[in-house]
Amino acid sequence: MDLEEAKEFRERCTQCAAVSWGLTDEGKYYCTSCHNVTERSQEVISTEAIPNTKIQAINRGLKRKRKHEKGWDWYVCEGFQHILYQQAEALKTLGVGPELKNEVLHNFWKRYLQKSKQAYCKNPVYTSRRKATVLEENPSHSDWDSAPELLSDFSCPTFVESGAESQPDDHIRKPFPISKASQSETASVCSGSLDGVEYSLRKEKGVVKMTVPSTLAFCYLALLWQRETITLSDLLRFVEEDHIPYINAFQHFPEEMKLYGRDKGIFAIESWPNYEDIHKKMIEVATFLDLPRFPDITEDCYLHPNILCMKYLMEVNLPDEMHSFTCQVVKMAGIGEVDFLTFDPIAKMAKTVKYDVQAIAVIVIVLKLLFLLDDSLEWSLSTIAEKYNEENKEDKPWFDFRKWYQVMKKSFDDKKQKWEEARAKYVWKSEKPLYHSSIDRSVVYKRREMVVNLQKQFSTLVDSTPTVEKKSPSSFQFNWTEEDTDKTCFHGHSLQGILKKKGQSLTTKNSLYWLSTQKFCKSYCKHVTTYEESNFSLSYQFILNLFSFLLRIKTSFLHEEVSLIEKRLFKTKYSKTKKKSSRSRKVRK
């Protein structure tokens, strides 16, 4: 960069109002005060030549090449920004609208940078250790509609542009403090990023620290805002199937963004994302950002339980007629109301519905209402259905729970075995080697080259290639069609065998029901209820295991959701148990 050559450029910086310019290696002017890079090159001096000139809200790393590494100066937030961009692009290829990346996710990220005082504020944390204060012109609690204008697309795959056009003088922002070069030199010793060491040690109360799992929380928030047809379990499954960058996402960073030392602990992930963790992070991020109430989840929305129940009934090969029962349960429990389903982060108790888990829990309750799932009634009803189907082969077949169990267990076991094998074979090490310091770089690369050569030699000896087949993305994990002769499709089967006429309406032959949880844990417990397999029937265990695998969640997590809906559905039963317990306490006294 040549500061002398840039002296002839006397325009004020539209970001901080300073007149202090330098030149990047690409010949573009950057502000030495706030490090914003304009799209104006050295040859173009007049602002009239380029109307609507945009500046970059986050600097591209100063593009100053270090002699010992020949890389850019970059910050940790830029690394996360690059990962978010990759994930947004991946979601776009999966069929999500471009608005998610260009508007929603972009806006959330800008809001986070301002709230965490990394950009759009005075004294950003990476330029000065003094406490930053949010700009008066753009306060943290500003109205959502008055947020900065967004770009229609990203001009660079790594960095976001602000889209804010050159502002008039009365709206010019005050200059940022100039960052010292010595800070970048000291930071580069232990990390590739300028603030890697400081970031890993930073613990500021009330600030949500960005992590790689948090990028998925941002993506899901954007999906939820757009009411896209991707649930949280789908998002995590697409990550697992490598359709969305997550594990070793840093290896797609530009070559100039050197990553080593403390950066390894920030960007390297060696575990699969967990549903509960990402869900909690999503609420945490939304609350931190002070996001307004999300768009309403109405009956015609994909995330409504009536629609999701239909999807999962098809997924697990259950009769279509069961959908009317799931709709009744949703209505009686009051979990289909707009206010119940819509996420509101600024509410007193900020919590969001686990849409996919809730829909599955409704199906489990309907199965209990129809078949009881006590390892007795479901098998006796199956015997009746089997006998009827043998005698009436031309009529619409009755649903046979035993036959369904046999078909599903085989498919479930096969699918689970393949999934476990794929996980066991997964290569956690990235193609781009990580090293602790620039000194170790050559040694690490030599070792990596040796390992790759050995793998090639062994694969040649055993006549096999270590390539793993990548699945094409799909909303369904199980596929059932009437044309498939190998697997029985139960979608068109009738529930006539488990129903009886009562006046003008039909009711279930089974009049019993057992509650999944008799007594809930105290409010200070981290969990609502406990789940021990030995306390429940084998049928119920199989149902929970099947659906838990489908969503990649713990069986106890699904059991808890079933119990919570039952609590809403059978209020009178729970009130009776409370009265009995209170009476017993009085007798003891």
Side-chain angles (χ1 to χ4, degrees):
M1 300 178 185
D2 195 344
L3 297 176
E4 292 296 327
E5 291 182 18
K7 280 185 178 180
E8 58 187 7
F9 187 59
R10 305 304 299 167
E11 286 287 326
R12 282 184 177 275
C13 175
T14 55
Q15 184 77 2
C16 68
V19 184
S20 179
W21 299 97
L23 281 173
T24 66
D25 293 341
E26 298 169 345
K28 292 181 180 180
Y29 292 103
Y30 79 96
C31 178
T32 59
S33 295
C34 64
H35 300 157
N36 284 320
V37 183
T38 67
E39 291 299 326
R40 216 168 303 161
S41 59
Q42 187 182 3
E43 290 75 22
V44 181
I45 306 298
S46 175
T47 56
E48 295 176 358
I50 306 176
N52 303 327
T53 303
K54 295 183 175 75
I55 60 170
Q56 293 181 356
I58 305 167
N59 63 77
R60 295 190 178 183
L62 306 181
K63 297 293 189 298
R64 176 163 58 83
K65 299 203 172 186
R66 302 190 195 134
K67 291 179 181 179
H68 62 284
E69 281 190 63
K70 296 181 181 179
W72 293 340
D73 284 348
W74 61 281
Y75 295 97
V76 170
C77 67
E78 291 180 294
F80 287 121
Q81 189 169 283
H82 195 280
I83 293 173
L84 278 171
Y85 178 88
Q86 294 174 52
Q87 292 172 343
E89 282 293 315
L91 287 169
K92 196 176 173 182
T93 59
L94 291 172
V96 174
E99 299 83 12
L100 181 131
K101 181 191 78 169
N102 300 337
E103 297 177 16
V104 184
L105 190 58
H106 188 173
N107 212 338
F108 288 170
W109 181 239
K110 288 172 73 175
R111 202 172 179 89
Y112 172 78
L113 291 174
Q114 185 193 35
K115 295 278 286 183
S116 59
K117 302 161 191 174
Q118 297 183 68
Y120 307 102
C121 64
K122 296 176 183 177
N123 306 332
V125 288
Y126 53 77
T127 57
S128 174
R129 292 186 180 276
R130 288 179 292 171
K131 193 171 183 179
T133 55
V134 180
L135 290 172
E136 292 85 349
E137 290 83 3
N138 195 8
S140 61
H141 295 281
S142 61
D143 188 24
W144 186 248
D145 296 330
S146 64
E149 183 187 348
L150 299 174
L151 265 184
S152 60
D153 59 355
F154 293 103
S155 63
C156 174
T158 316
F159 306 97
V160 183
E161 293 183 358
S162 70
E165 297 182 5
S166 300
Q167 302 175 355
D169 292 340
D170 57 336
H171 291 289
I172 289 173
R173 295 174 180 175
K174 297 176 184 178
F176 296 157
I178 300 172
S179 60
K180 297 179 181 178
S182 59
Q183 184 185 350
S184 70
E185 294 303 323
T186 54
S188 65
V189 175
C190 300
S191 67
S193 60
L194 291 176
D195 59 339
V197 178
E198 184 186 347
Y199 188 87
S200 59
L201 299 173
R202 190 183 302 156
K203 290 181 182 179
E204 191 173 346
K205 192 176 180 181
V207 176
V208 174
K209 194 173 181 179
M210 193 67 186
T211 59
V212 177
S214 298
T215 59
L216 295 180
F218 270 90
C219 287
Y220 183 61
L221 277 173
L223 288 166
L224 185 56
W225 184 274
Q226 290 293 98
R227 295 180 293 183
E228 291 286 349
T229 57
I230 296 179
T231 61
L232 180 54
S233 59
D234 289 333
L235 179 69
L236 301 188
R237 182 165 56 84
F238 290 144
V239 167
E240 192 178 277
E241 293 173 359
D242 206 23
H243 298 300
I244 297 174
Y246 180 77
I247 305 292
N248 300 327
F250 60 85
Q251 66 185 6
H252 301 294
F253 285 4
E255 189 61 34
E256 291 84 359
M257 286 177 69
K258 302 299 178 182
L259 186 141
Y260 59 85
R262 290 296 182 94
D263 301 328
K264 182 180 178 182
I266 298 169
F267 293 103
I269 292 292
E270 293 187 354
S271 62
W272 296 106
N274 178 272
Y275 187 105
E276 294 176 67
D277 292 341
I278 303 299
H279 187 265
K280 286 176 184 175
K281 282 184 185 296
M282 186 264 288
I283 298 173
E284 188 182 8
V285 169
T287 308
F288 173 69
L289 297 182
D290 279 330
L291 296 180
R293 180 184 165 104
F294 277 48
D296 291 345
I297 304 297
T298 53
E299 287 189 11
D300 59 344
C301 179
Y302 178 78
L303 296 174
H304 194 278
N306 288 345
I307 296 177
L308 281 177
C309 281
M310 174 64 85
K311 187 251 184 186
Y312 289 120
L313 286 171
M314 293 173 65
E315 179 95 50
V316 295
N317 200 14
L318 285 169
D320 300 333
E321 291 181 14
M322 278 184 65
H323 188 243
S324 61
F325 289 93
T326 59
C327 291
Q328 288 180 50
V329 169
V330 168
K331 188 177 180 180
M332 290 173 68
I335 58 175
E337 302 297 325
V338 173
D339 289 337
F340 178 82
L341 293 170
T342 305
F343 181 38
D344 190 359
I346 57 176
K348 287 184 179 179
M349 293 292 289
K351 57 182 178 181
T352 183
V353 176
K354 308 170 193 78
Y355 301 97
D356 39 10
V357 182
Q358 178 188 257
I360 292 290
V362 169
I363 296 173
V364 174
I365 290 170
V366 169
L367 286 170
K368 286 175 69 178
L369 286 167
L370 296 176
F371 300 99
L372 194 59
L373 301 183
D374 65 341
D375 286 343
S376 176
L377 182 65
E378 61 267 35
W379 306 128
S380 59
L381 290 172
S382 297
T383 304
I384 296 169
E386 186 181 359
K387 187 178 179 182
Y388 174 85
N389 292 337
E390 286 178 0
E391 294 174 356
N392 304 273
K393 292 184 178 179
E394 294 182 1
D395 295 342
K396 190 177 183 178
W398 286 4
F399 178 68
D400 185 343
F401 185 88
R402 182 187 289 110
K403 191 175 181 181
W404 172 84
Y405 168 80
Q406 291 168 350
V407 171
M408 283 307 302
K409 191 173 189 312
K410 186 178 184 303
S411 299
F412 168 54
D413 289 344
D414 291 344
K415 185 75 71 174
K416 191 175 182 181
Q417 186 180 351
K418 289 178 182 177
W419 174 74
E420 288 173 347
E421 287 175 358
R423 280 210 162 187
K425 292 176 182 177
Y426 189 83
V427 180
W428 290 97
K429 285 197 174 183
S430 64
E431 295 176 6
K432 189 177 183 179
L434 290 173
Y435 43 93
H436 293 287
S437 69
S438 55
I439 302 168
D440 302 329
R441 184 178 182 276
S442 57
V443 178
V444 172
Y445 270 87
K446 281 181 181 178
R447 284 178 181 174
R448 181 63 180 164
E449 188 180 353
M450 186 172 65
V451 168
V452 170
N453 288 333
L454 284 170
Q455 285 177 341
K456 285 180 180 178
Q457 289 174 19
F458 277 111
S459 62
T460 306
L461 287 170
V462 297
D463 193 25
S464 65
T465 53
T467 54
V468 180
E469 186 182 350
K470 191 174 180 179
K471 298 178 182 177
S472 56
S474 173
S475 297
F476 292 91
Q477 298 177 64
F478 295 98
N479 293 309
W480 311 94
T481 55
E482 296 287 351
E483 293 78 18
D484 193 350
T485 54
D486 296 333
K487 299 175 184 177
T488 307
C489 179
F490 293 92
H491 291 161
H493 286 214
S494 172
L495 296 177
Q496 200 68 32
I498 56 177
L499 301 175
K500 64 179 181 180
K501 274 194 175 184
K502 190 176 182 180
Q504 297 294 325
S505 59
L506 287 170
T507 184
T508 58
K509 288 182 179 179
N510 169 41
S511 59
L512 302 174
Y513 192 89
W514 54 272
L515 296 171
S516 301
T517 299
Q518 295 290 338
K519 190 177 180 182
F520 288 88
C521 297
K522 300 290 183 182
S523 58
Y524 52 78
C525 287
K526 290 183 179 179
H527 48 75
V528 178
T529 181
T530 54
Y531 174 71
E532 291 182 19
E533 284 192 344
S534 57
N535 295 336
F536 298 94
S537 63
L538 295 174
S539 298
Y540 183 71
Q541 288 179 40
F542 171 75
I543 296 294
L544 286 195
N545 289 332
L546 171 64
F547 283 120
S548 299
F549 172 76
L550 207 64
L551 302 184
R552 306 292 194 268
I553 59 174
K554 296 177 183 176
T555 49
S556 57
F557 193 52
L558 177 56
H559 173 75
E560 182 179 303
E561 191 68 24
V562 171
S563 302
L564 288 172
I565 296 177
E566 285 179 345
K567 191 178 181 180
R568 297 176 66 94
L569 202 59
F570 304 105
K571 291 178 182 177
T572 52
K573 281 194 174 186
Y574 282 105
S575 61
K576 284 179 182 178
T577 54
K578 280 185 179 180
K579 286 178 182 178
K580 285 180 182 179
S581 61
S582 61
R583 284 175 187 172
S584 61
R585 285 174 188 169
K586 287 179 182 178
V587 171
R588 286 174 188 173
K589 287 179 181 178

